[in-house]
Amino acid sequence: MGRILAIDYGTRRTGIAVSDPLRIIAGALETVPTKELERWLADYFAANDVTTVVVGKPMQTDGTPSETWRYVEPLVARLRRAWPDKEVVLWDERFTSVLAHRTMLESGIGRMARRDRALVDRISATIILQGYMESEELRRKRNAVSDAETEKR
């Protein structure tokens, strides 16, 4: 089972997070200049076993796609074309930046460090990845219960 990589896309910088090989822990990995993202991904995929790519889907609070969606949608298509062996999943990223700032405050990171947009991007990618991983775990547990109930019948 390969790692899961998460992308918090930005027009200038893109935050990247990755799971451990067992898919238990999500960790911030890197902030990449967006124009270098696909080359960076090619290098990373060549050196690491990644089976799933989770891309943050930029949404407004009312559930409609945000302005950034017009950049993310073609990126997702390019990722699927370039790496057909990888599952590319969209994940709602609403409020990840707010949660990233809150996480930084609660962890005691100083004011100057909190201004580091690259750090915010990495933490946001980690929040996207953690949310996806928790959702997958819940889905697996529900399927296991459903399978067990089916076997009883």
Side-chain angles (χ1 to χ4, degrees), residues 65-136:
S66 76
E67 177 63 25
T68 312
W69 174 243
R70 69 185 177 123
Y71 301 105
V72 171
E73 188 174 30
L75 169 69
V76 169
R78 289 192 309 273
L79 294 176
R80 287 179 174 151
R81 229 181 358 264
W83 294 285
D85 61 319
K86 305 204 183 314
E87 178 184 21
V88 179
V89 179
L90 287 164
W91 189 257
D92 186 347
E93 69 171 28
R94 278 181 281 187
F95 309 114
T96 55
S97 292
V98 172
L99 290 171
H101 281 287
R102 183 176 298 153
T103 299
M104 291 167 72
L105 275 170
E106 291 174 358
S107 68
I109 292 175
R111 182 181 303 180
M112 292 306 290
R114 289 195 308 265
R115 291 184 184 169
D116 179 1
R117 291 294 307 155
L119 178 58
V120 174
D121 295 336
R122 286 191 302 276
I123 293 172
S124 293
T126 306
I127 291 168
I128 291 167
L129 179 55
Q130 188 66 44
Y132 174 79
M133 290 170 55
E134 288 171 1
S135 171
E136 285 296 292

Side-chain angles (χ1 to χ4, degrees), residues 8-15 31-37 68 71 117-118 121:
D8 179 38
Y9 182 89
T11 55
R12 291 188 191 111
R13 291 173 317 276
T14 297
T31 300
V32 178
T34 297
K35 64 183 181 221
E36 299 172 16
L37 175 62
T68 312
Y71 301 105
R117 291 294 307 155
D121 295 336

Side-chain angles (χ1 to χ4, degrees), residues 43-84:
D43 292 343
Y44 190 82
F45 292 158
N48 296 278
D49 182 22
V50 174
T51 56
T52 305
V53 178
V54 180
V55 180
K57 184 176 182 181
M59 307 283 283
Q60 300 200 36
T61 55
D62 66 1
T64 60
S66 76
E67 177 63 25
T68 312
W69 174 243
R70 69 185 177 123
Y71 301 105
V72 171
E73 188 174 30
L75 169 69
V76 169
R78 289 192 309 273
L79 294 176
R80 287 179 174 151
R81 229 181 358 264
W83 294 285

